Amino acid sequence: MNLIELYDTLSLPENDNKVFNAIPIPEFPNFRIAIDFEGNAVLLLSVSKRIKDLSLKNFRLKYLQLEQNLECRIYENDSFILQTFTVVTFRCSDRNLQEYFLRISETLVSTIGQKPTQQQVIDSLKKFVEVFKTLTDSPTNTINGLWAELFLIENSSNPKSVINYWHNLPEEKFDFNAGLERIEVKSSSNFERKHIFSAEQLNPPSDTQVLIASIFLKQHNSGMNIQQLLESISKKVNYDFETTDKLNSIVFRTL
């Protein structure tokens, strides 16, 4: 399942803001990846047995909109169909963020399974939505720091193990924590090894070993971006479900 590739095959609906162009997700006939008239990526979820009095409240975040039990008009296989879906729309034209959304959607679809109940969809969507609640405009230093951490993971001899010790929250004291061994990643775009440390980072427990990875960054048209680093890391861990799920979730929380 590659939702990015599926999404890229879709064209905009013609002059109709109430129609989605959609394509079924292979092996998951109840789900569609779609595009709306604004070019937004849309995930359409359906359940085999709907419970009328059980629903998830509709809402809209900065980039994410969720509408429950919505009757949709879909153009699919050269014809129009009407069907009821839970509609998850990612309202952002930034290509990198769109690809993150589609990657996280792959995890969601795999978690829900082929014939989900209404309750299973709701429970999975609650976790899915939490990932996007912290997604805001990120300052450059946050992007640089994230890139440096991904660069370290991508260049490690055992990316899966390193991801296992990666912080779940950006606010944690060390970027990578394996108990007695810890790594703090610092990045610099001015080619000076001048970094800011917290008191906890400078005074770790006496029985721990802390390594500082100081990485110089310079923007270049032919350099790897965050999306390319993610793809390379995912490939190196053989697209392991739990590992890539954590990888993508941390990226979203950081951004």
Side-chain angles (χ1 to χ4, degrees):
M1 173 177 45
N2 189 321
L3 297 189
I4 296 174
E5 290 183 358
L6 291 177
Y7 173 74
D8 286 341
T9 66
L10 298 170
S11 58
L12 293 175
E14 294 184 3
N15 302 321
D16 194 336
N17 61 3
K18 297 181 180 180
V19 173
F20 298 109
N21 276 354
I23 185 171
I25 298 175
E27 300 181 8
F28 296 90
N30 289 317
F31 308 140
R32 308 281 193 281
I33 191 67
I35 188 171
D36 66 13
F37 77 106
E38 294 180 327
N40 295 315
V42 182
L43 182 64
L44 303 175
L45 305 174
S46 179
V47 297
S48 55
K49 294 182 180 180
R50 189 173 303 279
I51 304 174
K52 293 183 179 180
D53 60 349
L54 186 62
S55 64
L56 184 66
K57 185 178 179 181
N58 297 340
F59 66 87
R60 182 170 182 172
L61 301 177
K62 181 171 184 178
Y63 295 123
L64 191 74
Q65 178 174 309
L66 189 146
E67 299 168 281
Q68 184 78 356
N69 299 336
L70 185 68
E71 186 175 70
C72 302
R73 188 165 180 249
I74 298 172
Y75 186 71
E76 180 180 300
N77 297 326
D78 298 324
S79 62
F80 289 98
I81 62 172
L82 285 176
Q83 189 172 338
T84 300
F85 290 99
T86 291
V87 180
V88 184
T89 305
F90 188 68
R91 296 188 172 279
C92 180
S93 60
D94 183 277
R95 176 65 181 187
N96 286 331
L97 293 182
Q98 280 185 341
E99 291 186 0
Y100 296 150
F101 166 76
L102 293 168
R103 286 183 179 278
I104 294 291
S105 295
E106 290 176 4
T107 301
L108 173 66
V109 169
S110 298
T111 301
I112 293 176
Q114 293 189 13
K115 296 181 179 180
T117 64
Q118 182 88 61
Q119 187 63 57
Q120 286 174 326
V121 170
I122 289 174
D123 291 342
S124 296
L125 280 173
K126 287 179 181 178
K127 299 175 184 178
F128 181 79
V129 167
E130 286 299 318
V131 174
F132 291 89
K133 281 188 175 179
T134 57
L135 186 59
T136 58
D137 292 329
S138 301
T140 300
N141 61 340
T142 299
I143 299 295
N144 287 348
L146 174 62
W147 191 97
E149 291 172 26
L150 291 172
F151 177 80
L152 184 144
I153 294 171
E154 201 270 340
N155 283 275
S156 67
S157 60
N158 191 340
K160 186 174 181 179
S161 179
V162 176
I163 292 171
N164 185 50
Y165 297 121
W166 199 16
H167 57 65
N168 286 308
L169 297 173
E171 295 79 15
E172 292 182 20
K173 302 305 179 185
F174 293 93
D175 296 319
F176 301 90
N177 189 336
L180 298 180
E181 297 177 329
R182 305 173 187 185
I183 300 175
E184 178 63 18
V185 180
K186 298 296 184 181
S187 62
S188 172
S189 58
N190 59 11
F191 295 94
E192 291 183 345
R193 296 198 190 279
K194 295 181 179 180
H195 306 300
I196 297 175
F197 296 88
S198 68
E200 292 88 346
Q201 291 171 338
L202 293 175
N203 297 280
S206 58
D207 58 345
T208 61
Q209 180 182 22
V210 177
L211 299 179
I212 306 300
S214 178
I215 300 174
F216 287 155
L217 307 180
K218 182 179 180 180
Q219 286 189 337
H220 197 282
N221 290 335
S222 62
M224 293 183 73
N225 58 32
I226 287 177
Q227 181 59 40
Q228 290 168 327
L229 284 171
L230 281 174
E231 178 59 31
S232 177
I233 294 168
S234 298
K235 185 176 181 180
K236 288 185 176 183
V237 300
N238 296 317
Y239 298 97
D240 177 75
F241 176 79
E242 291 186 3
T243 305
T244 56
D245 182 34
K246 179 176 181 179
L247 179 68
N248 289 316
S249 295
I250 293 175
V251 168
F252 260 103
R253 291 192 188 102
T254 304
L255 293 174

